Amino acid sequence: MSNGTSVAVTSFIVCGGPAPSKAHFGLPADWPALKDMQINRIFCVALSTTAAFSTVSAQAQDGTVDLGTIVLSGGLTPIPDSAFGRASTVITETELEALDKRYVADVLRTVPGLAVSRTGSFGGLTQVRIRGNEANHTLVLIDGVEVNSVNQGEYDFGGLLTADIARIEVLRGAQSSIYGSNAIGGVISITTKRATELGFSGQVRADGGTDETFGGLLALRQGFERGGLSFSVAHRETGGFDISGEGGEDDGDINTTININGDYEIAPSIVVGGTLRSVSRKSDFDQFNFGAPTPEELVTDAPGDFTEVDELYGSLFAEIETFDGRLDNRFDASFADTDSRTFNDDLKTGDNSGRRYTLTYSGTVALDASTVDAAQQTLTFALQYEDERFKENDPSVVFDPGQLEERERSQVGYILEYRGSFDVGLDLQGSVRFDDNDGFENFTTWALGVSYLLPNDTTRLHASAATGVQNPTLIEQFGFFADFEGNPDLEPEQSRGFDLGVEQTFADGAGLIDVTYFREEVTDEITSVRDPVTGLSRPVNQDGTSDRQGVEVTGSYTFFDRFDASLAYTYLDATDPDGQVEVRRPKHELYLQGTYRLPNDRTSVTLGIQYVSGLFDLDFTSPSFGTERVELGDYTLVDVSFRHEINDRVTLIGSVTNLTDEDYEEVYGYATPGREAFLGLSATF
């Protein structure tokens, strides 16, 4: 969100949008009168309620206030980034357009503290690790709905397209005091596009490129005086390449994503709305051979191997202002359903489903003013119920009839958050959460954040400390695989850490640099131990401590009106309890970007350079069988993209990725894409 954002824009995001600042409640399918009508109700709400993302209210038309960038997911209520004591990054729609990436995972490579690894081609399993933590320590929200896999605990970014994305927020460091489990490493919050003007509007985009790639977007939006409605469908298909590197059959991906969101102000103090998102994809993969004699034989060509995944997410909310604005109340309900099927040689070998239902109430009270909007000190309290379920669906592909039994667990979270802003340039945030688990020990987590702007108005100090908790995944708890047995006696993983940073602006605001040091300890980290006699793997809590520490640097500078440059650098030292380096987390990662706008004011060119060094992975060849590490080669990737406005409605877009055709590895044994080029058109109406 750029400077000059209208009051109405911020008000909508806080009160009328999907509120990625809070977790949402879900509606169990077996609740009375909901089993057969669950999806229909959410769809109807999305159609009958509307969402205006900007100047669609009388308040917005009266004037604007410069609120700066707002971190929507920074707590139970949004907060200006200038007052936020915790490390965060906000990627705006304009920045997304300049990068011209097709998948969100590739955008996240530009963010400090994040490590992205993709197993082969687009659509393949894509993991994101924050500050050296595991992939299932990253909580992912899309329009406020938690989308992490119920069985594995992590979110596969392989299916997340950028086409309908308006905003990405990344919170680094443990966020469990607000979001509970899955947030030891941090939170990635995605906001989809909405209506931005009164009346009917839309967008059409089409592009194509190498590897038989083509994609398109159709978006239709309607803005009203009291709300709005947005609908989009995005499709992307690529023939891919052979991820085994043997020159065999190409491994492609097909993805169709449909998104609906809306809200409506039914009264001056009541806003209701909802979201619905569907993702259907098919992704090819090749055979991974555990214990292969050579690295070249770890991944071999396997025509007919693919996965089919259907994801459905939805939410409903109501926000009610009471006591003349002194108390703001929000009620949320959400669900996340994932159905996955695996095929080997065109024969189904896996079929399972995961469900998550969440219910949340939160209330924010003004402590030093008559309304929440005017208050500099607020107290927010919240109550959250979450239910998770997982089961295998097809008796013909399970090794034990017990797998067909639906496994279920639930928890209740009690949350309290304080916000204080003081005229001396000091801002404070504090939160505490107690989780009452039905299958594990109960836990209390907390977080503190402080931001202080020095009297020179150019130097800001920020610091935070927090604890985190990560429940065992359902797979770790119950098993479900023939060569993997669950462990019901596992303890949740725990973390404790802090960060300290200095943000400095210079050259009359043209430049900015932020340097942050972080340190974290994780105990009871869960790993799998393989019995060489039985061949079974079993999860266990490791003794000792996993240590993570490092430095994150971000910077930007406007050299002149037409050229902007930025950088993001991460130094990471992450080791497991045995003192071995953690895998798939580079020691050094640098991203440089520059954007130049031509004198015609219609054309811009963006250059991005990524350098990765000190990247390790597990060696699954024989005789190591995953017990040893192997260091992958350093690499540098160069991308270039451009945008040319043919007229006020039509824009020509294009990009070349891996411009130098670098040969590199992110995951040991898997090939990576070479040079690729894309060209397309985007039109608004």
Side-chain angles (χ1 to χ4, degrees):
M1 190 182 300
S2 61
N3 291 342
T5 303
S6 69
V7 171
V9 173
T10 304
S11 175
F12 169 78
I13 298 174
V14 175
C15 302
S21 60
K22 310 180 186 72
H24 288 237
F25 287 124
L27 302 176
D30 56 0
W31 280 14
L34 280 175
K35 183 173 183 180
D36 298 326
M37 301 179 63
Q38 182 183 54
I39 305 306
N40 288 336
R41 287 190 178 185
I42 290 178
F43 183 77
C44 291
V45 168
L47 292 178
S48 63
T49 59
T50 52
F53 189 66
S54 60
T55 55
V56 297
S57 68
Q59 183 181 18
Q61 297 169 0
D62 290 340
T64 61
V65 176
D66 186 354
L67 296 177
T69 302
I70 304 295
V71 184
L72 305 180
S73 53
L76 293 175
T77 58
I79 184 173
D81 69 340
S82 60
F84 194 35
R86 315 201 66 186
S88 64
T89 298
V90 177
I91 304 173
T92 65
E93 185 173 352
T94 300
E95 293 166 333
L96 288 169
E97 290 176 347
L99 289 168
D100 194 37
K101 303 293 186 183
R102 275 68 182 171
Y103 293 84
V104 168
D106 295 315
V107 175
L108 296 176
R109 299 178 193 274
T110 70
V111 178
L114 271 62
V116 180
S117 57
R118 177 187 286 125
T119 53
S121 186
F122 297 107
L125 174 64
T126 307
Q127 300 174 307
V128 176
R129 297 172 171 86
I130 301 179
R131 288 185 170 177
N133 287 276
E134 299 296 337
N136 66 341
H137 294 170
T138 300
L139 179 69
V140 182
L141 308 171
I142 299 180
D143 286 339
V145 179
E146 181 180 348
V147 295
N148 291 54
S149 166
V150 170
N151 58 336
Q152 299 283 13
E154 66 182 73
Y155 177 69
D156 179 6
F157 280 87
L160 186 54
L161 304 176
T162 60
D164 67 333
I165 303 300
R167 179 185 179 95
I168 301 173
E169 296 184 6
V170 179
L171 308 180
R172 297 184 291 279
Q175 311 291 327
S176 294
S177 64
I178 296 295
Y179 295 102
S181 183
N182 294 341
I184 281 183
V187 173
I188 298 175
S189 179
I190 312 291
T191 304
T192 59
K193 295 180 180 179
R194 288 161 173 74
T196 58
E197 57 188 42
L198 284 170
F200 180 74
S201 62
Q203 179 185 6
V204 176
R205 170 175 170 150
D207 67 89
T210 52
D211 294 333
E212 300 179 350
T213 299
F214 64 90
L217 168 72
L218 172 64
L220 304 174
R221 302 182 178 95
Q222 179 70 49
F224 302 98
E225 290 185 357
R226 301 179 67 179
L229 176 66
S230 180
F231 165 85
S232 67
V233 55
H235 180 81
R236 178 151 294 278
E237 186 167 342
T238 179
F241 60 94
D242 177 26
I243 64 176
S244 72
E246 296 181 332
E249 183 183 57
D250 290 340
D251 300 295
D253 179 61
I254 303 174
N255 183 309
T256 301
T257 299
I258 301 173
N259 200 76
I260 302 172
N261 60 68
D263 98 332
Y264 187 68
E265 184 182 16
I266 61 177
S269 59
I270 303 176
V271 177
V272 298
T275 67
L276 185 66
R277 183 177 182 86
S278 169
V279 181
S280 179
R281 57 193 182 99
K282 175 185 176 183
S283 304
D284 297 332
F285 65 90
D286 279 338
Q287 179 67 43
F288 182 81
N289 304 301
F290 184 81
T294 66
E296 292 75 21
E297 296 172 273
L298 273 175
V299 183
T300 53
D301 189 42
D305 287 12
F306 59 93
T307 60
E308 295 178 339
V309 180
D310 295 311
E311 305 168 5
L312 187 65
Y313 313 118
S315 68
L316 296 172
F317 75 87
E319 186 152 306
I320 304 172
E321 183 183 284
T322 57
F323 298 105
D324 296 324
R326 187 73 181 260
L327 175 64
D328 285 346
N329 306 274
R330 176 146 182 147
F331 302 86
D332 292 277
S334 75
F335 71 91
D337 290 359
T338 303
D339 296 304
S340 178
R341 297 165 297 281
T342 304
F343 295 83
N344 294 100
D345 197 21
D346 293 318
L347 298 176
K348 186 165 66 171
T349 55
D351 187 343
N352 57 68
S353 299
R355 309 283 184 261
R356 178 182 294 107
Y357 309 104
T358 317
L359 297 171
T360 304
Y361 163 76
S362 64
T364 301
V365 60
L367 299 179
D368 63 343
S370 59
T371 66
V372 172
D373 290 339
Q376 289 189 304
Q377 297 187 60
T378 61
L379 186 67
T380 302
F381 46 92
L383 176 66
Q384 181 184 83
Y385 170 78
E386 182 176 86
D387 178 271
E388 294 180 324
R389 309 177 185 188
F390 178 78
K391 69 184 294 290
E392 296 287 343
N393 299 317
D394 191 339
S396 67
V397 298
V398 301
F399 71 93
D400 188 318
Q403 290 182 271
L404 300 172
E405 179 184 352
E406 184 176 65
R407 303 293 185 173
E408 179 182 2
R409 68 186 188 195
S410 63
Q411 69 174 23
V412 179
Y414 306 86
I415 314 162
L416 192 65
E417 181 186 42
Y418 166 80
R419 295 274 183 84
S421 181
F422 303 90
D423 294 336
V424 295
L426 179 67
D427 292 274
L428 301 174
Q429 306 94 41
S431 55
V432 62
R433 173 175 175 136
F434 174 75
D435 282 315
D436 184 358
N437 298 294
D438 69 346
F440 306 104
E441 181 182 350
N442 300 330
F443 272 94
T444 299
T445 52
W446 55 265
L448 297 172
V450 58
S451 171
Y452 178 60
L453 181 65
L454 272 59
N456 62 14
D457 287 333
T458 62
T459 307
R460 185 175 73 94
L461 309 178
H462 56 87
S464 68
T467 61
V469 64
Q470 173 72 37
N471 290 333
T473 68
L474 284 168
I475 292 292
E476 293 167 339
Q477 186 178 2
F478 296 110
F480 294 101
F481 300 120
D483 57 352
F484 185 91
E485 60 177 351
N487 183 357
D489 297 324
L490 286 170
E491 295 290 336
E493 299 170 302
Q494 301 178 62
S495 73
R496 181 185 299 267
F498 69 91
D499 57 36
L500 303 168
V502 179
E503 178 187 278
Q504 179 68 52
T505 59
F506 56 94
D508 294 325
L512 180 147
I513 187 167
D514 189 305
V515 180
T516 301
Y517 169 78
F518 64 88
R519 185 176 180 86
E520 182 180 287
E521 296 179 346
V522 179
T523 57
D524 290 325
E525 187 171 9
I526 297 173
T527 189
S528 294
V529 177
R530 182 175 181 270
D531 187 329
V533 177
T534 65
L536 290 176
S537 294
R538 189 172 191 265
V540 296
N541 291 105
Q542 298 183 80
D543 295 329
T545 301
S546 298
D547 296 316
R548 294 89 161 81
Q549 64 175 333
V551 177
E552 298 163 347
V553 181
T554 58
S556 62
Y557 192 81
T558 301
F559 287 92
F560 47 90
D561 289 343
R562 298 192 179 278
F563 182 66
D564 299 320
S566 63
L567 70 86
Y569 168 74
T570 305
Y571 165 77
L572 175 66
D573 179 14
T575 57
D576 66 14
D578 296 329
Q580 298 190 80
V581 63
E582 296 276 23
V583 300
R584 302 184 186 179
R585 280 149 273 202
K587 187 171 186 178
H588 300 280
E589 190 164 11
L590 173 67
Y591 184 81
L592 300 173
Q593 180 178 309
T595 298
Y596 177 70
R597 292 170 291 279
L598 274 62
N600 62 13
D601 290 327
R602 289 185 174 273
T603 307
S604 64
V605 179
T606 297
L607 177 70
I609 303 174
Q610 181 191 22
Y611 171 73
V612 173
S613 173
L615 179 62
F616 287 79
D617 203 353
L618 294 176
D619 182 2
F620 286 110
T621 62
S622 174
S624 169
F625 293 103
T627 60
E628 303 294 332
R629 268 75 168 162
V630 58
E631 184 172 6
L632 308 182
D634 302 347
Y635 60 87
T636 301
L637 301 179
V638 180
D639 298 338
V640 62
S641 62
F642 77 91
R643 297 177 60 84
H644 174 70
E645 297 179 4
I646 298 175
N647 54 46
D648 293 341
R649 295 286 186 178
V650 181
T651 301
L652 178 67
I653 51 179
S655 62
V656 179
T657 60
N658 194 3
L659 182 65
T660 61
D661 201 23
E662 180 91 343
D663 185 15
Y664 66 102
E665 278 185 306
E666 286 185 344
V667 179
Y668 194 43
Y670 285 87
T672 50
R675 183 189 300 112
E676 297 180 312
F678 306 94
L679 188 65
L681 287 172
S682 177
T684 59
F685 55 89

